[in-house]
Amino acid sequence: MSKEIIVSPADWEPLDIENDLREKIWSTQRTFAEDVWFRFSHKKSAFAGLLIILLLMLFAFVGPYLTPYSFDTQTLDFSNIPPLMEVTNVDDNLFYITANLKVIHVGNNGKLLAALPKLKEDTAQKIIYYDFNGRELPLSYQKKPAAILNHEGKRLRRDNKVWNTSYWLGTDGLGRDLLTRLMYGTKISLIVALIATFVNMTIGMIYGGISAFAGGSVDTVMMRIVDIISTVPLTLYVILIMVIMTDGFLSIIIALSSVYWVTMARVVRGQIYSLKENEFVYAAKTIGSSQSTILFRHLLPNAMGPILVTATMMIPSAIFMEAFLGFIGIGIAAPMASLGTMCNDSIQALRSNPYQLFFPSLMICIIMFAFNYVGDGLRDALDPKLKK
Amino acid sequence: MKLLEVKNLIKHFPVKNHKGQVVHAVDDVSFHINEGETLGLVGESGCGKSTCARTIIRIYDPTGGEIIFDGQNLATLSQRELKPIRKNMQMIFQDPYTSLNGRMTVRDIIAEPLIAHKIGNSQKERHEMVAQMLKQVGLNTEHGTRYAHEFSGGQRQRIGIARALILKPKLVICDEPISALDVSIQAQIINLLTEFQQKEKLTYLFIAHDLSVVEYISDHVGVMYLGKLVELSESKELYKNPLHPYTQGLLASIPALDIHAGKITDKAEMSGDLPSPISLPSGCRFCGRCPYAKKICAEAEPPMKEAAPGHMVACYLYS
Ligand SMILES: Nc1ncnc2c1ncn2[C@@H]1O[C@H](COP(=O)(O)OP(=O)(O)OP(=O)(O)O)[C@@H](O)[C@H]1O
Ligand SMILES: [Mg+2]
């Protein structure tokens, strides 16, 4: 049963320990950035959010080059065509009847071929005759919905459904491709939000940094100003600024950038204020480092985590604010489009063409979710102690 | 020759939301350090040692008094005027964890003083100097590219020492450089500091919160209580013949020195806590905890008097 284990007495002799060995660092340590990335990428929601943002960027910035349409080319014949069309089959030819009583010939693969030319209209019978390759095609609008009549004068049902392969997401009221406009709108919205956030971040960092760094009465006055600005709902300021300025790309960026820095300024000030009492800042002072070295080499880099988190969280609010402005009609001017103005365009025809509102709204939701998840993940990754 | 002389140094902090009230962190402290010597400054936590050090090196602006360093009064100089003087006066900090910037590599941390004072012509030259300094404090060159958080407390303190000594200062203020370290590491750091002192003829102001640490390295020892210097004497004399009841109490609280304590009498054991430095008792600040308190102790503050040759004490027992 028992196995004999032979241990020579020499094995119990203590090893020579050198002093260097004792202080040696054994484990390979990750740098701070690697550490943050490790925690971030192991959080599923954050990683998914980042992936979605990257895909969205591709969609918005590369996508427009891949579609055959431009965001502002109008094809009035093909206005308000939905992505999924209910078509009438007449002798193996498919026809789509639009809301304003046009008949469009649709190929079997779902391509829109042509709008049929109108021959004559019988207002008494409420029938419009269209020409299809020399044949007469009667469209009755006596009863709703309008329907094509066969030889015997019977209404043909719209019983076939085909996907619109010419315009994957359909067209808007002016016959513009919604997919292209969605890409373009997403691009504009992202650009506006990113620039506004960047400007807010810069202003906030400088303002908050100076306020905390100077301290004393300078700090008190600067923070009172921030308090006063933030007592009025910020949305109101933005609307006022937009009303004063002409609506356009630049003015919306100015409006969004000039107001939201107060949050950032508070965050930065709080961070710097607590960091300022750290001994490494005192050390820099005793060394004789300049004020700007202390602010830019010591204080701000250490405050970067919360600053980045706040900035990431600011992007979705900027997107939403921009969309809101566009929606109430004081956003980007036509023919440029943002997600908000697209929602605004579609609201009049909401009943008949709900898809026109659906896609831009969905896009706003996706963007906001993605950025919020990334911001959440970033906060947890940067400061695991602060986990909610 | 006196390298540093502190005369009636005062540092009061305003109390937030209570106008007129102040924290008496340092109150009328005077001492001097000769070139090449070490002054140990001892006292309980919160008695104002760090504040004293930080005021001398002008992290804080003094409320009053003079700081004469190398024949120049630092108390009235502006930060700009102080900059060239900072080269000669450096500090090692209490907390090895917060005293190093976690976003900088060790090499950048140690090179910062060189850049601030425009020493070294090129980055390469500075890196060379840093590498040499790292070797001198017992680290290797490869450690330079790492970040401070990868090091142990003892190693971090070595980095702090390297940063303070790379400018070859005359005076180094050591603010409890070992109190955050393991006992085994404490000795290493002390040895490193004494080694440097001998090599570079450094002058130390060495702060600690118990007397056992300073005994070996100090030429003179000052004992602080609640912002005041209560006893100041040559090191050997102080340990042999502690005069102030507070010093006696401190010595009694060192386990290894029980022989001394027995000789002093058991009454010296201190009871009670530090009173608030905001509303101070009138008279002697130690009065409430002193086993020998007399009536006069509660009425007026005892002045600093020479009770034995070179042995200053602020206590009515000796006047
Ligand atoms: N910046 C400050 N503002 C207000 N009060 C302060 C400030 N720094 C220190 N104090 C107060 O001054 C007193 C002395 O503090 P100090 O840090 O000098 O003590 P210390 O002797 O170094 O203690 P420790 O051994 O814990 O380091 C304390 O009561 C402290 O609360
Ligand atoms: Mg201290």
Side-chain angles (χ1 to χ4, degrees), chain A residues 41-164:
Chain A
S41 57
H42 277 70
K43 194 174 154 117
K44 285 194 189 86
S45 61
F47 195 70
L50 186 69
L51 215 64
I52 291 173
I53 290 174
L54 290 177
L55 289 177
L56 278 176
M57 297 262 182
L58 269 183
F59 176 78
F61 291 95
V62 180
Y65 296 106
L66 305 180
T67 66
Y69 311 100
S70 143
F71 74 95
D72 57 355
T73 37
Q74 306 179 359
T75 316
L76 288 172
D77 277 344
F78 295 155
S79 61
N80 291 329
I81 315 274
L84 180 61
M85 299 178 292
E86 292 180 330
V87 293
T88 316
N89 189 338
V90 183
D91 305 333
D92 285 341
N93 285 309
L94 303 178
F95 296 98
Y96 177 74
I97 305 162
T98 67
N100 46 4
L101 304 178
K102 275 186 189 150
V103 176
I104 291 164
H105 184 207
V106 180
N108 282 331
N109 53 2
K111 282 259 181 296
L112 303 188
L113 298 174
L116 301 187
K118 195 162 148 183
L119 284 175
K120 59 185 187 226
E121 181 165 1
D122 183 344
T123 34
Q125 294 277 338
K126 298 202 169 171
I127 294 176
I128 305 175
Y129 294 91
Y130 283 99
D131 170 51
F132 175 59
N133 295 341
R135 260 175 61 187
E136 236 176 37
L137 208 63
L139 176 74
S140 157
Y141 57 97
Q142 201 165 26
K143 269 196 289 179
K144 278 203 167 176
I148 294 171
L149 305 178
N150 66 3
H151 311 297
E152 293 126 34
K154 259 180 70 186
R155 289 163 59 89
L156 290 172
R157 297 239 300 275
R158 307 176 176 190
D159 45 9
N160 289 38
K161 285 191 174 173
V162 286
W163 288 101
N164 186 343

Side-chain angles (χ1 to χ4, degrees), chain B:
Chain B
M1 207 197 95
K2 289 176 190 171
L3 181 67
L4 174 77
E5 182 166 21
V6 175
K7 285 187 194 164
N8 309 100
L9 189 70
I10 301 173
K11 177 64 195 173
H12 292 170
F13 292 109
V15 182
K16 261 208 181 135
N17 307 326
H18 290 274
K19 267 226 162 108
Q21 286 192 327
V22 291
V23 180
H24 298 76
V26 176
D27 228 355
D28 198 9
V29 166
S30 306
F31 59 81
H32 73 265
I33 313 175
N34 292 329
E35 211 164 341
E37 291 192 349
T38 301
L39 174 77
L41 200 57
V42 183
E44 275 170 290
S45 188
C47 73
K49 306 177 300 288
S50 294
T51 307
C52 187
R54 289 173 178 185
T55 313
I56 290 170
I57 205 162
R58 283 295 306 276
I59 290 172
Y60 300 147
D61 294 332
T63 312
E66 286 174 41
I67 305 153
I68 296 160
F69 176 73
D70 235 359
Q72 215 174 352
N73 185 4
L74 307 188
T76 49
L77 294 185
S78 71
Q79 289 295 341
R80 187 182 305 253
E81 290 165 321
L82 278 167
K83 190 172 169 185
I85 296 163
R86 295 202 176 284
K87 227 181 108 181
N88 293 325
M89 188 199 256
Q90 283 292 307
M91 182 152 170
I92 297 166
F93 288 86
Q94 185 165 358
D95 185 346
Y97 293 91
T98 62
S99 62
L100 304 177
N101 184 349
R103 297 283 182 281
M104 282 164 80
T105 61
V106 168
R107 190 160 63 190
D108 288 342
I109 290 174
I110 301 175
E112 192 182 341
L114 299 177
I115 295 168
H117 292 278
K118 304 204 169 57
I119 298 170
N121 299 318
S122 62
Q123 173 139 332
K124 204 169 150 240
E125 199 178 322
R126 282 194 288 267
H127 284 178
E128 196 59 41
M129 292 162 88
V130 170
Q132 211 156 19
M133 197 68 224
L134 277 172
K135 220 177 287 160
Q136 286 186 53
V137 295
L139 297 168
N140 15 3
T141 319
E142 304 98 70
H143 287 148
T145 51
R146 291 168 174 253
Y147 287 86
H149 70 90
E150 302 174 28
F151 293 86
S152 67
Q155 289 171 321
R156 283 166 150 261
Q157 206 55 296
R158 286 170 194 266
I159 297 166
I161 291 170
R163 172 177 61 188
L165 297 185
I166 196 157
L167 288 173
K168 307 213 180 309
K170 292 183 189 163
L171 174 71
V172 179
I173 298 178
C174 312
D175 183 8
E176 300 196 40
I178 55 167
S179 63
L181 305 177
D182 285 349
V183 182
S184 59
I185 310 290
Q186 284 185 352
Q188 293 181 9
I189 298 292
I190 293 269
N191 287 342
L192 186 68
L193 286 172
T194 42
E195 236 171 72
F196 268 108
Q197 181 165 39
Q198 278 153 18
K199 238 181 359 198
E200 317 256 347
K201 305 243 176 330
L202 292 174
T203 309
Y204 286 145
L205 171 60
F206 194 98
I207 295 171
H209 61 248
D210 71 82
L211 277 162
S212 62
V213 175
V214 262
E215 183 174 2
Y216 307 101
I217 53 167
S218 307
D219 300 290
H220 287 83
V221 174
V223 180
M224 267 185 93
Y225 184 77
L226 217 61
K228 279 245 174 220
L229 207 56
V230 293
E231 189 163 1
L232 180 64
S233 129
E234 226 169 77
S235 178
K236 280 209 195 82
E237 160 77 8
L238 187 96
Y239 287 89
K240 242 189 354 213
N241 184 23
L243 294 179
H244 200 281
Y246 177 64
T247 316
Q248 295 173 359
L250 276 183
L251 280 172
S253 64
I254 304 171
L257 289 179
D258 266 337
I259 325 148
H260 287 280
K263 208 171 75 188
I264 288 162
T265 75
D266 296 339
K267 270 202 251 168
E269 286 286 350
M270 280 182 291
S271 56
D273 282 325
L274 223 59
S276 154
I278 300 171
S279 48
L280 289 166
S282 62
C284 177
R285 295 180 184 191
F286 189 56
C287 184
R289 296 166 77 186
C290 182
Y292 315 110
K294 298 186 283 194
K295 208 172 143 225
I296 183 171
C297 298
E299 281 159 11
E301 274 197 62
M304 200 75 161
K305 281 238 175 82
E306 192 162 11
H311 195 150
M312 311 281 288
V313 64
C315 182
Y316 285 119
L317 289 176
Y318 309 97
S319 55

